[in-house]
Amino acid sequence: MADDSKNGAERRESEPESRQERIARQQRGLPDSPGVYLFYGRDDELLYVGKARSIRKRVAAHFSGGEPRLTSRI
């Protein structure tokens, strides 16, 4: 097994990253500052525009029980 230094977890190189792992990794890269964020669907359709005092916290709130009809399409 290879060590994935991005999240510290061990995984096989051929094992794909799960959707939940990918979302968590992307959330860690978001700024903890005010701003506007855009959610796009798989076909690059703009689904949602939001603004927040902390982009990281607001996006995390969407995925931790917010609107599942929206987040399942992102």
Side-chain angles (χ1 to χ4, degrees):
M1 282 201 228
D3 181 30
D4 183 355
S5 59
K6 290 278 184 195
N7 63 11
E10 289 188 19
R11 73 167 61 245
R12 295 179 196 181
E13 289 181 28
S14 62
E15 186 177 327
E17 185 177 42
S18 73
R19 180 176 188 270
Q20 189 174 12
E21 291 169 330
R22 187 177 67 250
I23 290 169
R25 178 180 45 80
Q26 290 174 343
Q27 285 177 353
R28 286 190 298 272
L30 294 173
D32 190 27
S33 57
V36 175
Y37 58 97
L38 309 173
F39 285 159
Y40 288 94
R42 288 187 180 121
D43 58 355
D44 292 330
E45 174 189 7
L46 180 61
L47 301 174
Y48 185 81
V49 177
K51 64 179 184 176
R53 291 182 182 168
S54 169
I55 294 175
R56 183 182 305 149
K57 290 176 185 176
R58 180 64 57 86
V59 170
H62 280 289
F63 286 92
S64 68
E67 180 61 45
R69 290 182 302 192
L70 172 64
T71 57
S72 66
R73 296 176 58 199
I74 297 171

